[in-house]
Amino acid sequence: MADITPLLADRWSPHAFDKTHVISEDQVQLLLEAARWAPSAMNRQPWSFVVGVRDDDAFARLRPAIEGFSDWALDASAIILGAYQDAGSEPDYALYDLGQSMAHLTVQAEALGLHVRQFATFDRPMAGRAFNIAAPWEPIIMAAVGLPAPAAPATWLRGRRTRPARH
């Protein structure tokens, strides 16, 4: 196996987050800046993010769209909702572009010592209504950001890897 940068080789998505960890405003800004620098078709940058930091208003507004779907994410230090702008043309690369921006954000998180777990199991219409996201914009992905839980609950992690296998 070829050596790749440790930022990618050591990256992993925890199944449980440390509910006491606090993410700083500077860290949030660095994550968003990394996403902003992602390449996009025709330099459209058809993505937008809503960031909720635990205990703030945006996090509270995201919470109902997550509950019952991805409850584990509610322990994260921050939740990021990613939306894309449909260009209405064929082909529309907006979803691909949103994915690239989220990948850049994820690598930046790793550089900061943080971890990201992306998820699509949430109530998309509810999340959109919470922030008045309307066509041509569409909420499509969320990401939990923070540190892994100090001790993962053995009952729901039994049989799952907490770290990727190294070849």
Side-chain angles (χ1 to χ4, degrees):
M1 181 168 143
D3 287 332
I4 61 172
T5 178
L7 290 174
L8 297 173
D10 296 338
R11 189 211 63 77
W12 62 287
S13 299
H15 291 96
F17 284 88
D18 180 349
K19 57 185 164 189
T20 65
H21 174 259
V22 176
I23 192 169
S24 73
E25 178 62 28
D26 287 344
Q27 289 172 317
V28 169
Q29 290 307 313
L30 285 169
L31 296 176
L32 294 175
E33 187 66 6
R36 184 176 79 84
W37 280 95
S40 64
M42 297 169 284
N43 201 29
R44 283 185 47 230
Q45 299 174 332
W47 57 76
S48 189
F49 298 106
V50 172
V51 179
V53 175
R54 190 186 315 107
D55 298 328
D56 75 2
D57 179 63
F59 196 100
R61 290 165 61 192
L62 288 168
R63 183 180 205 80
I66 298 169
E67 289 174 331
F69 292 95
S70 298
D71 292 339
W72 56 267
L74 298 173
D75 288 338
S77 304
I79 300 290
I80 300 173
L81 170 64
Y84 78 103
Q85 184 180 30
D86 185 346
S89 62
E90 200 55 44
D92 186 359
Y93 300 106
L95 283 171
Y96 177 81
D97 293 342
L98 172 60
Q100 286 206 89
S101 68
M102 188 60 76
H104 276 62
L105 183 150
T106 299
V107 172
Q108 181 64 49
E110 186 68 31
L112 294 171
L114 300 169
H115 293 276
V116 174
R117 182 171 189 86
Q118 298 177 45
F119 60 102
T121 50
F122 66 95
D123 187 324
R124 290 172 40 202
M126 183 183 291
R129 285 190 303 272
F131 294 95
N132 299 314
I133 299 170
W137 289 91
E138 185 176 346
I140 199 75
I141 193 76
M142 283 198 193
V145 182
L147 295 180
T155 53
W156 69 276
L157 285 182
R158 189 172 292 127
R160 291 182 145 174
R161 292 189 328 225
T162 56
R163 299 278 304 184
R166 298 301 294 263
H167 302 291

